[in-house]
Amino acid sequence: MEQLIRLTLLAAIGGCFAMFIFVSATEGLAMGVLAGLMSFGNIILPTLLAVVLHRLLTAKIGLQNDIGTVLLQGIALYVLMMVAIISWAVGEAAIFYTLTWTESKAVYGKEFAGFQPVVLAEAFLIPALHLFLKKESQPSG
């Protein structure tokens, strides 16, 4: 449980840093700092869900090579996270507007597209941090 919480917090902080870099590059440093700080509250629960999803994936996806494992798990996690976000946008369009492709795209663009850098960063940070924490907890000898 402790490792799950540590992994969630580290991945969320990494996602906030990715948001800071992306927004700073596009909107300026002040907006980047604000976006980085404000995004933490928006991504902590989805990050926890992504970490739990990653735990389910680790049993199914693994290679002998650590880098290959991180890349493969990261790609799988990215795809699943994007499916979840798109499904959420479609569901929101169905509930609050009309269920059309145009409305779903508009909801995604307005509410979820800004989190794309966070999703990409966390999809690869979670497997990499998990590997790091796992190696850190193993006794050396």
Side-chain angles (χ1 to χ4, degrees):
M1 185 66 167
E2 177 187 338
Q3 188 180 23
L4 184 77
I5 293 169
R6 283 177 51 188
L7 184 57
T8 300
L9 289 175
L10 288 172
I13 290 168
C16 291
F17 187 69
M19 181 67 86
F20 162 74
I21 290 173
F22 177 75
V23 174
S24 291
T26 58
E27 302 290 326
L29 185 62
M31 286 301 293
V33 170
L34 182 63
L37 292 174
M38 296 298 286
S39 65
F40 187 80
N42 289 329
I43 66 170
I44 192 71
L45 184 58
T47 301
L48 176 62
L49 295 174
V51 168
V52 170
L53 183 61
H54 173 259
R55 288 294 178 107
L56 297 173
L57 285 176
T58 55
K60 305 284 184 201
I61 300 175
L63 301 172
Q64 296 296 331
N65 182 352
D66 288 343
I67 294 173
T69 299
V70 167
L71 288 175
L72 191 58
Q73 289 176 354
I75 291 168
L77 194 56
Y78 177 75
V79 168
L80 291 173
M81 289 168 74
M82 286 306 301
V83 166
I85 288 175
I86 291 168
S87 299
W88 191 339
V90 169
E92 194 169 308
I95 292 170
F96 297 110
Y97 307 103
T98 56
L99 183 57
T100 63
W101 178 246
T102 306
E103 196 64 48
S104 297
K105 280 182 14 182
V107 169
Y108 175 81
K110 183 174 65 174
E111 297 185 26
F112 299 101
F115 289 99
Q116 187 67 34
V118 175
V119 171
L120 185 60
E122 286 190 359
F124 290 96
L125 272 175
I126 290 171
L129 289 170
H130 178 253
L131 182 66
F132 174 75
L133 292 173
K134 191 167 111 178
K135 285 185 177 185
E136 180 185 86
S137 68
Q138 292 176 348
S140 60

